[in-house]
Amino acid sequence: MMEKRLVANTGIAVSPLGLGTVKFGRNQGVKYPQGFELPTDREVRELLALAFDLGINLLDTASAYGLSEERIGKLLPNSRHEWVIETKVGERFADGESHFDFSAAGTRQSVENSLRLLKTDYLDMVLIHSDGDDVRILREEAVLDTLLTMQQQGWIRTVGISSKTVEGALLAYELGCDVVMAAYNPVYTDELPVLEAAAAQHKAVLVKKAFASGHLDKLGANNGNPVEQALAFIFAQQGVTSVVLGTLNPKHLRDNVAIATALLDE
């Protein structure tokens, strides 16, 4: 069983591996090397149950992930409070393309929609789904202030950003966010300063693109296990709170958890 890690000083504790759920609800406009069919309800339910049995309590979803939130709300096993659900606002995916809205009204509507679809009266984490212009979004749009207000009202436990730039992630911490989702893996280390800042400031980082969006061949493993090498490389950074991995394959999930558990036990 993987030991949970605290998300900054929020009181939220998450497994060091989280389950990404974009594949639960969307197979268009994604950057994976191979196409895939959306899983059946039974497959989603069984994968969620397996994740829980393996010690995973963090689910990563978003309004832009098609049917993901709705399916989690319908199929989530165990009681709601045993899970940490992290979703995102600002982006929705429709008619094959992304549409962005960082307004106060759009943000509030997105959060309310997520609450309804996920069948919950609170969200553990809500991240701004950046379009790449992190600094402008944080400084000029109403999204962060709206999320912080909804946090004060009790709808959200903590807020942050799924960022695209180091500058944006560091600014998010400066503006009161507890958590950032940043990309990091053995062949992409540009966002290392975010992980270092998190460690120094006792903030949280959720790592995305740990396996280069499924392109394991790009990770440059030297005759070893690329998954093991990637996870060892990432967990060597003290600032990492959790690594979010997306898979529909039960064997891959079991293997990933076994590898992570062995690495963390060391």
Side-chain angles (χ1 to χ4, degrees), residues 155-176:
W155 299 110
I156 301 167
R157 294 179 71 189
T158 193
V159 304
I161 186 170
S162 180
S163 56
K164 299 287 181 66
T165 66
V166 170
E167 294 78 12
L170 298 182
L171 178 61
Y173 288 148
E174 186 182 318
L175 294 175

Side-chain angles (χ1 to χ4, degrees), residues 130-229:
S130 176
D131 64 2
D133 200 355
D134 300 344
V135 173
R136 185 195 65 77
I137 293 166
L138 291 168
R139 289 206 182 278
E140 299 178 23
E141 297 279 4
V143 59
L144 180 56
D145 285 344
T146 305
L147 290 178
L148 291 171
T149 297
M150 296 189 83
Q151 181 183 14
Q152 291 172 349
Q153 295 169 340
W155 299 110
I156 301 167
R157 294 179 71 189
T158 193
V159 304
I161 186 170
S162 180
S163 56
K164 299 287 181 66
T165 66
V166 170
E167 294 78 12
L170 298 182
L171 178 61
Y173 288 148
E174 186 182 318
L175 294 175
C177 293
D178 289 309
V179 58
V180 162
M181 180 173 269
Y184 187 70
N185 63 57
V187 294
Y188 177 78
T189 59
D190 294 12
E191 297 174 44
L192 175 60
V194 181
L195 280 60
E196 294 173 336
Q201 298 176 36
H202 305 290
K203 300 284 191 175
V205 173
L206 308 180
V207 172
K208 59 185 174 182
K209 297 181 171 54
F211 299 158
S213 297
H215 296 270
L216 286 170
D217 55 310
K218 295 182 179 178
L219 295 179
N222 298 317
N223 300 319
N225 182 329
V227 170
E228 182 176 357
Q229 293 189 18

Side-chain angles (χ1 to χ4, degrees), residues 106-135:
T107 300
R108 185 168 287 277
Q109 182 180 27
S110 182
V111 170
E112 290 172 352
N113 196 49
S114 293
L115 288 164
R116 178 180 60 82
L117 291 173
L118 289 162
K119 293 183 168 59
T120 181
D121 56 3
Y122 71 96
L123 298 168
D124 297 288
M125 295 187 242
V126 178
L127 309 184
I128 299 164
H129 216 161
S130 176
D131 64 2
D133 200 355
D134 300 344
V135 173

Side-chain angles (χ1 to χ4, degrees), residues 7-64:
V7 177
N9 61 354
T10 62
I12 300 169
V14 298
S15 48
L17 286 187
L19 181 63
T21 67
V22 63
K23 291 181 177 179
F24 284 11
R26 174 177 154 189
N27 56 9
Q28 292 180 300
V30 290
K31 298 176 180 177
Y32 299 105
Q34 296 168 330
F36 58 94
E37 294 295 319
L38 294 182
T40 64
D41 281 0
R42 179 179 176 179
E43 288 169 334
V44 170
R45 189 182 290 111
E46 289 177 352
L47 194 71
L48 288 169
L50 175 62
F52 189 84
D53 288 345
L54 293 171
I56 292 173
N57 73 333
L58 173 62
L59 297 179
D60 162 73
T61 185
S63 56

Side-chain angles (χ1 to χ4, degrees), residues 17 185-186 210-211 216 219-236 243 245 252 255-264 266:
L17 286 187
N185 63 57
F211 299 158
L216 286 170
L219 295 179
N222 298 317
N223 300 319
N225 182 329
V227 170
E228 182 176 357
Q229 293 189 18
L231 289 177
F233 182 81
I234 294 166
F235 282 127
V243 180
L245 304 176
H252 289 172
D255 291 348
N256 292 342
V257 170
I259 289 167
T261 302
L263 288 169
L264 294 169
E266 291 175 7

